Amino acid sequence: MMAKTQYYVPVGPIHPALKEPIRVEAEVEGERIVRVDVKRGFAHRGIEYMGMKRNAIQTLYLSERICGICSISHPYAFVIGSEKALGIEAPPRAQYIRPIIAELERIHSHILWLGVVAHEMGFDSLLFWTWKGREKVLDLLELLTGNRINYSVFMIGGVRRDIKESQIKAIKDAIDFYRIFTEEMKNVFLSDPVYKARTRGVAQLSREMALKLNVCGPVARAAGLRMDVRQDNPYDAYADIEVRAIVPQDIVGEARGDAYDITLVRLYEIEQSLDIIEFCIENMPEGRIMAIPNYVVLLSKIKKTKGEAIGMHEAPRGEVVHYFKYDGTRDGPAVWKVVAPSYNNINSWAPLLLGAEVADIPIVVAYIDPCMCCNDRVAVVRDRDGRIMDYSLIHRKAVEKTMRLKRELGVRA
Amino acid sequence: MTPEFITYAFAFPILGVFLGLVYKGIDRRVSARLTSRIGPPIRQPFWDVGKLLLKETIVPENAVAWLFNAMPLVAFASSMTLLLYIPFGILKAPLEGYGDLVVILYLLTLQSLAMAIGGFASGSPFSSVGAQREMVLMMSYEMPLATVIVGFALVYRSFSLTTIATTPVWNMVGPLAGIGILLLLVALLIVTPAELAKLPFDIAEAETEIAEGMLAEYSGRNLALFYLSDAVRGFAMAAIEVVLFIPFTLSSIFNLSLTGPALYIVEGLWFLFKVLVVYLLAITLVRTSFARFRIEQASRVFWVYVNIIALVGLALVWMGV
């Protein structure tokens, strides 16, 4: 039909397979990808800069807004790091409440991913079914915290809301529901022949590649690496539970690191989360929920603190790392640096897509559960000759453009 | 050219378009209910077509404009012609005697071909990849489809659809050939979603992979024509399956002795009911309960498994007749 054999297929920044902006540029020969380039930086919002202008409590709630799904993971890393820097410790009851909220979030995030990956392969009925099941955990989170997302329940040195006796019953009901629902999901996802055909051998990451590319979270675990912040660097109640990283070789004997294995890992992690929640509500100690209940006292303590710390948490997608520096002059972090799991995991796209088929693009893109707004920390603008434009130049150009548009549209200033 | 013939020639396509859109509406509603959603109202496809006709028709800069604009017309014309070959219940097909099962096969292929050429002509990488996939898919499913047609020709010694419609196939064959016909039915049912570009074989239009593929660059009137021909094709395919495999009339089942308009109304509704059942089972249910195959997986399904089913069926029919 046409003499041209190579096509340039641009996926993104706007594309049905992507929920957030990123660009994958693929050179395609027939159905096979022969060259691939990944470009990021479309969702940069300067959120770290904003955080460095606010006080620590405001920044904590700003950190929830980094990502809509991990809206407990970023605050978790934030409070762990801040507490280390301040030298305070949350009361035992708060240390048990935090994992409950965090694991509920993991459940809803993993079910969300299962639905998304089903949609990417055109299995929309599975998407609707899994997301219908996800509603219950969102309702439970609303009951516990007041919101379906952005829970605003953590505080440096504790939590802001207690879990009452009546809510424990609701949690137990939800656990019973999800024990059955996870079993059903395992049957559907792991034994469906079409699902297996589309995921077995797709996005296959070997152990060596996983180490080389520095991937983390479920992606690394699916490749057989036993890494999990809750296991390697336990904090709060996780230290009492002895969380073990879920790896496929423990479940089916061998780890292949493909999209099927990652489904396996995520499904079993939902069960692990249920176990953790169950342990937490059974062993929850009585007592206070805040180390320093008065915010003014807390802020003045932060203002007097000088030091730096790293806070880590195992988010549903991998490890979240927050770095802080309090310099003793203001009541917020002088330096705040966020490293989100997708930043490492997106590294795996280019090697995995090379030699893959066009039909595999959505699965390779989706299997790490990417979160663009988590990982875009810097945006570099270049002019036509490739020179980096500095901030004042971009600002001047933006003002000039606004003026020009106003003139053209006849809008008075 | 009798006046009756001309009335038929105009009434059938209009009726066909109407029914095609109604069935599409029902399909969307049922599919939504199966996945615990509310779903759009039945008349939604009519609104869709109306809105598309009002929209601007954009031709991409690097498209081959005349080919790009001609292909929706070709697809629409072939689906309109297709309607003239289908006997509605006990009504005879308007173009009966001017063509047969083989022509229907070609008209169905022509629509897929028109979409593929339109995809190549739109000059977008997504459309090109989609069109390539459609060509591969067509090469895969045409063989089992042709086998089914040959099987019927063996039984009736004729390709005429009206002959087939008047005498149920199950009365013509013995038990051995009956099993053969059943296997042919299975093969045809598997081919149906591929022929209609529905899940699990909507590979050429895969939304999440290549952003609707062949249709990516189409808009406005052109897209409306493709939409209409798709709706008609769905109805026609289900109708052909009814004519081939379940041609039983209501009067022959219950020994009714209806005459005049009553007979036509009852048999017409009975025919539409049968088409609806086939439509829901072969298209709606399948597209709701499967994920999309990759192109080489779909090819293997057709070349190996469906071909084996169809050829075994053909062999049994050949031995039985």
Side-chain angles (χ1 to χ4, degrees):
Chain A
M1 192 67 60
M2 277 188 190
K4 211 168 112 188
T5 54
Q6 286 202 353
Y7 292 95
Y8 167 70
V9 179
V11 178
I14 309 293
H15 187 276
L18 301 167
K19 312 295 169 252
E20 286 175 274
I22 196 161
R23 190 175 172 88
V24 180
E25 296 177 342
E27 202 74 54
V28 174
E29 214 177 275
E31 283 279 320
R32 207 148 284 282
I33 299 165
V34 291
R35 210 180 58 76
V36 65
D37 192 9
V38 179
K39 289 185 175 157
R40 30 181 152 187
F42 292 92
H44 175 58
R45 295 166 294 166
I47 207 159
E48 285 169 338
Y49 183 78
M50 282 156 74
M52 287 183 254
K53 300 285 161 205
R54 286 161 163 76
N55 74 37
I57 295 175
Q58 288 170 325
T59 308
L60 170 61
Y61 298 113
L62 186 67
S63 75
E64 283 189 359
R65 272 79 182 165
I66 292 176
C67 173
I69 305 297
C70 302
S71 53
I72 224 64
S73 305
H74 286 286
Y76 211 148
F78 193 103
V79 293
I80 296 281
S82 285
E83 283 166 10
K84 268 193 220 164
L86 294 172
I88 57 172
E89 201 174 54
R93 188 172 175 85
Q95 293 196 5
Y96 271 77
I97 292 175
R98 282 183 196 167
I100 294 177
I101 312 282
E103 295 307 319
L104 286 174
E105 182 193 76
R106 190 185 314 279
I107 293 170
H108 99 66
S109 176
H110 279 356
I111 298 176
L112 177 111
W113 179 83
L114 289 163
V116 167
V117 85
H119 170 68
E120 301 291 6
M121 57 187 64
F123 211 155
D124 278 350
S125 36
L126 200 52
L127 159 77
F128 297 130
W129 179 69
T130 47
W131 282 27
K132 192 180 158 201
R134 176 173 169 261
E135 282 303 301
K136 199 160 172 91
V137 66
L138 290 174
D139 287 347
L140 181 64
L141 279 165
E142 191 178 357
L143 180 75
L144 295 178
T145 67
N147 287 316
R148 280 161 65 91
I149 52 162
N150 290 355
Y151 314 105
S152 308
V153 76
F154 283 19
M155 175 52 70
I156 300 164
V159 288
R160 288 178 56 228
R161 276 173 185 244
D162 204 354
I163 289 181
K164 297 186 198 73
E165 207 50 49
S166 60
Q167 290 168 332
I168 283 179
K169 194 190 167 296
I171 298 174
K172 280 181 177 158
D173 287 349
I175 289 173
D176 292 341
F177 172 79
Y178 280 106
R179 289 243 183 256
I180 299 163
F181 188 65
T182 314
E183 212 48 55
E184 285 171 359
M185 280 199 294
K186 272 187 200 163
N187 284 337
V188 172
F189 277 94
L190 300 179
S191 55
D192 183 75
V194 184
Y195 187 83
K196 202 163 181 174
R198 287 301 302 271
T199 51
R200 238 323 159 215
V202 173
Q204 195 155 16
L205 201 63
S206 67
R207 209 184 146 85
E208 291 71 40
M209 276 293 268
L211 282 169
K212 214 166 112 191
L213 293 167
N214 239 331
V215 295
C216 60
V219 181
R221 290 198 283 275
L225 299 172
R226 288 176 199 277
M227 57 181 282
D228 190 319
V229 180
R230 295 171 294 172
Q231 168 199 301
D232 306 332
N233 227 331
Y235 45 95
D236 284 2
Y238 292 121
D240 304 341
I241 301 169
E242 289 195 6
V243 181
R244 294 264 74 91
I246 301 266
V247 281
Q249 60 259 43
D250 292 349
I251 306 163
V252 288
E254 58 164 342
R256 299 202 212 177
D258 54 11
Y260 185 81
D261 272 1
I262 208 163
T263 316
L264 198 77
V265 167
R266 284 204 162 95
L267 279 166
Y268 278 83
E269 277 187 16
I270 295 176
E271 288 202 329
Q272 187 190 31
S273 294
L274 292 173
D275 291 342
I276 293 173
I277 297 168
E278 218 158 40
F279 178 88
C280 284
I281 54 175
E282 270 163 26
N283 298 291
M284 195 154 48
E286 291 296 322
R288 295 183 305 145
I289 53 167
M290 291 254 253
I292 306 171
N294 190 326
Y295 296 168
V296 181
V297 176
L298 180 65
L299 284 175
S300 70
K301 188 174 168 60
I302 292 170
K303 203 168 179 178
K304 277 179 269 173
T305 304
K306 222 173 179 174
E308 53 185 353
I310 282 178
M312 285 193 291
H313 170 62
E314 181 71 24
R317 291 160 178 75
E319 59 193 35
V320 172
V321 181
H322 281 223
Y323 166 79
F324 304 88
K325 191 170 175 185
Y326 291 108
D327 61 357
T329 57
R330 52 182 297 272
D331 52 5
V335 179
W336 178 35
K337 176 83 192 127
V338 180
V339 183
S342 300
Y343 190 79
N344 300 11
N345 288 344
I346 288 176
N347 291 343
S348 65
W349 283 1
L352 287 177
L353 283 174
L354 203 65
E357 294 192 10
V358 177
D360 294 335
I361 292 180
I363 296 167
V364 170
V365 166
Y367 93 108
I368 63 161
D369 202 1
C371 179
M372 314 315 168
C373 53
C374 279
N375 74 63
D376 284 343
R377 292 278 80 85
V378 65
V380 177
V381 185
R382 289 170 196 274
D383 63 9
R384 236 170 255 160
D385 306 321
R387 280 192 303 268
I388 295 173
M389 293 162 83
D390 65 359
Y391 179 74
S392 57
L393 185 67
I394 296 170
H395 184 251
R396 208 179 65 231
K397 279 184 177 289
V399 172
E400 278 169 16
K401 189 173 181 186
T402 313
M403 288 304 178
R404 203 184 66 229
L405 284 174
K406 273 185 173 175
R407 247 195 337 273
E408 282 169 8
L409 296 169
V411 183
R412 265 174 299 172
Chain B
M1 282 277 183
T2 57
E4 193 192 7
F5 180 83
I6 291 167
T7 321
Y8 269 17
F10 280 100
F12 264 57
I14 292 169
L15 191 67
V17 169
F18 175 77
L19 287 172
L21 290 176
V22 168
Y23 278 60
K24 208 179 172 73
I26 296 172
D27 162 63
R28 283 170 69 174
R29 186 82 167 180
V30 171
S31 171
R33 286 295 157 94
L34 286 174
T35 52
S36 53
R37 289 179 294 131
I38 294 168
I42 306 279
R43 58 179 181 273
Q44 186 66 41
F46 292 92
W47 286 345
D48 288 352
V49 172
K51 183 149 190 180
L52 283 176
L53 288 173
L54 291 173
K55 290 271 185 184
E56 188 188 0
T57 307
I58 297 165
V59 180
E61 245 172 48
N62 53 350
V64 188
W66 67 271
L67 206 56
F68 181 80
N69 285 321
M71 283 309 129
L73 287 172
V74 172
F76 186 66
S78 64
S79 66
M80 289 296 104
T81 320
L82 183 60
L83 283 172
L84 298 178
Y85 282 101
I86 294 167
F88 276 66
I90 53 168
L91 285 180
K92 277 189 174 161
L95 281 185
E96 198 233 323
Y98 292 93
D100 43 36
L101 222 43
V102 179
V103 176
I104 289 173
L105 190 65
Y106 273 106
L107 285 170
L108 280 170
T109 313
L110 190 60
Q111 289 179 50
S112 311
L113 206 59
M115 278 173 90
I117 294 172
F120 277 125
S122 33
S124 138
F126 293 121
S127 307
S128 299
V129 172
Q132 283 172 0
R133 289 179 174 192
E134 178 70 26
M135 302 297 276
V136 172
L137 199 59
M138 267 164 65
M139 284 184 247
S140 315
Y141 69 68
E142 287 301 328
M143 167 93 180
L145 195 58
T147 314
V148 174
I149 305 274
V150 171
F152 272 86
L154 266 180
V155 175
Y156 287 97
R157 309 269 160 210
S158 153
F159 278 119
S160 164
L161 204 55
T162 315
T163 321
I164 295 169
T166 43
T167 0
V169 67
W170 310 103
N171 301 350
M172 301 274 296
V173 293
L176 192 62
I179 297 169
I181 293 285
L182 213 55
L183 287 176
L184 291 181
L185 173 65
V186 171
L188 188 63
L189 285 179
I190 302 173
V191 170
T192 309
E195 180 72 56
L196 302 173
K198 293 271 189 286
L199 274 170
F201 301 111
D202 72 334
I203 307 156
E205 291 168 22
E207 179 217 343
T208 47
E209 294 162 21
I210 47 171
E212 296 297 335
M214 299 176 291
L215 298 175
E217 297 296 334
Y218 276 103
S219 56
R221 196 204 49 184
N222 284 339
L223 187 57
L225 288 179
F226 271 137
Y227 191 98
L228 281 174
S229 61
D230 175 58
V232 168
R233 196 153 54 134
F235 172 74
M237 195 72 191
I240 290 167
E241 272 155 32
V242 167
V243 172
L244 290 182
F245 293 101
I246 32 177
F248 311 105
T249 55
L250 207 56
S251 341
S252 66
I253 298 173
F254 294 109
N255 277 327
L256 299 177
S257 50
L258 292 166
T259 46
L263 175 72
Y264 283 94
I265 289 167
V266 168
E267 289 301 337
L269 289 176
W270 170 241
F271 176 73
L272 291 181
F273 174 73
K274 284 190 293 189
V275 174
L276 183 65
V277 170
V278 169
Y279 198 103
L280 291 179
L281 288 180
I283 299 167
T284 313
L285 207 60
V286 171
R287 89 178 171 93
T288 316
S289 42
F290 276 98
R292 188 182 304 120
F293 279 106
R294 268 203 314 252
I295 183 71
E296 94 277 357
Q297 292 167 341
S299 270
R300 198 180 319 125
V301 166
F302 284 117
W303 272 114
V304 181
Y305 304 112
V306 183
N307 255 337
I308 288 173
I309 294 173
L311 288 175
V312 168
L314 185 68
L316 288 175
V317 170
W318 184 65
M319 285 189 287
V321 169

